[in-house]
């Protein structure tokens, strides 16, 4: 982490991780050539993360925003740093989407999205504005005890990442960092009612996912900075 102040804070709540194991060749075409996939036992993983963002506010700004969001992502490693690459981020707040696009160069889209209790489960739904074919409906609930993933396990490799890489202004490779406590993971039971987001990558329905739930983490975020391959990130 670089030594300058964080610029935003928020909580991520009622988060669902869905993960599918895929051949690396199915995801490599969607990454810039300078950004290599990070592989687990020789294979890539596609992740879908649905959650509520609460109390989102830039540092020093009293106004807080709450909105539902869903991210489609994979895992990369740049200069030894294990990170995340996002293919899309759909969020139910146009102001947050505009700020993320302009300030962080992230592929955010405005969506009609919500996350609410429904019986003993949580019901998430998202439909992208102006692109209604990009949608996601999920029903899920946590099962089992809370645990913190241990280094060397697949769960740790998939979830305990604090850096996101993207292509910034002028084609520069950017790294954007967050900080939060270790994920309070639980196994999850999930019904994928309807989710077309993986179809953005021509993947169709990639099969049954590995599912985890996390109740809440408290997040601080830092501004993006440029990195170069082969130099410390």
């Amino acid at each position: 982490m670089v030594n300058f102040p964080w610029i935003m804070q928020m909580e991520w709540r009622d988060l669902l991780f869905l993960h599918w194991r895929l051949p690396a060749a199915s995801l490599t075409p969607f990454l810039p050539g300078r950004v290599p996939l990070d592989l687990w036992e020789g294979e890539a993983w596609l992740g879908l993360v649905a959650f509520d963002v609460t109390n989102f506010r830039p540092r020093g700004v009293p106004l807080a925003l709450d909105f539902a969001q869903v991210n489609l992502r994979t895992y990369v490693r740049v200069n030894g740093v294990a990170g995340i690459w996002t293919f899309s981020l759909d969020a139910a707040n146009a102001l947050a989407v505009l700020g993320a696009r302009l300030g962080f160069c992230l592929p955010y889209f405005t969506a009609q999205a919500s996350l609410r209790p429904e019986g003993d489960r949580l019901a998430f739904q998202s439909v992208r504005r102006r692109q209604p074919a990009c949608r996601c409906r999920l029903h899920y609930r946590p099962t089992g005890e809370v645990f913190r993933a241990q280094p060397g396990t697949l769960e740790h490799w998939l979830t305990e990442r604090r850096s996101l890489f993207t292509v910034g202004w002028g084609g520069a490779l950017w790294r954007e960092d967050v900080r939060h406590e270790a994920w309070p993971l639980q196994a999850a039971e999930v019904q994928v009612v309807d989710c077309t987001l993986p179809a953005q990558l021509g993947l169709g329905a990639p099969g049954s996912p590995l599912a985890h739930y996390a109740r809440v983490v408290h997040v601080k975020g830092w501004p993006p900075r440029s990195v170069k391959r082969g130099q410390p990130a």
Side-chain angles (χ1 to χ4, degrees):
M1 188 76 66
V2 292
N3 295 318
F4 47 78
W6 55 270
I7 61 169
M8 59 186 173
Q9 61 184 347
M10 71 201 91
E11 291 91 44
W12 294 337
R13 295 182 179 273
D14 290 320
L15 185 142
L16 176 69
F17 287 106
L18 297 182
H19 284 107
W20 295 268
R21 187 196 307 263
L22 295 171
S26 65
L27 293 179
T28 298
F30 301 98
L31 299 175
R34 54 192 161 159
V35 179
L37 279 168
D38 197 7
L39 304 180
W40 176 268
E41 296 181 348
E43 293 187 289
W45 286 78
L46 179 70
L48 187 140
V49 188
F51 56 106
D52 259 343
V53 179
T54 61
N55 295 317
F56 172 85
R57 66 184 74 201
R59 187 169 187 159
V61 176
L63 175 66
L65 303 176
D66 300 338
F67 51 91
Q69 180 168 316
V70 59
N71 303 344
L72 187 69
R73 69 190 206 177
T74 192
Y75 303 104
V76 298
R77 186 173 292 269
V78 178
N79 300 342
V81 176
I84 295 165
W85 186 273
T86 53
F87 300 114
S88 65
L89 308 95
D90 290 49
N93 188 282
L95 183 60
V97 168
L98 180 62
R101 277 189 167 272
L102 293 178
F104 291 80
C105 291
L106 291 172
Y108 262 88
F109 299 89
T110 306
Q112 292 180 311
S114 64
L115 176 59
R116 65 183 188 279
E118 192 170 282
D120 67 342
R121 296 173 179 268
L122 293 158
F124 177 90
Q125 62 179 358
S126 174
V127 179
R128 189 177 298 173
R129 292 186 184 274
R130 302 181 183 177
Q131 294 179 279
C134 295
R135 61 188 184 271
C136 191
R137 290 181 60 210
L138 308 163
H139 293 168
Y140 59 95
R141 67 182 182 94
T143 60
E145 299 296 322
V146 174
F147 69 97
R148 264 68 178 184
Q150 297 300 307
T153 64
L154 175 60
E155 290 83 1
H156 189 277
W157 186 89
L158 289 169
T159 62
E160 292 295 342
R161 293 171 183 252
R162 303 290 187 270
S163 297
L164 185 151
F165 293 94
T166 190
V167 175
W169 302 324
L173 181 63
W174 282 4
R175 172 181 166 181
E176 299 156 3
D177 291 329
V178 299
R179 184 180 294 169
H180 57 76
E181 63 269 37
W183 287 105
L185 295 176
Q186 294 174 259
E189 181 180 282
V190 61
Q191 178 187 9
V192 180
V193 179
D194 179 25
C195 190
T196 65
L197 296 179
Q200 298 176 65
L201 309 179
L203 298 175
S208 297
L210 179 65
H212 294 93
Y213 169 88
R215 178 68 186 89
V216 61
V217 291
H218 303 85
V219 183
K220 291 181 178 177
W222 275 256
R225 58 194 177 98
S226 181
V227 297
K228 295 182 179 179
R229 287 291 307 277
Q231 295 182 357

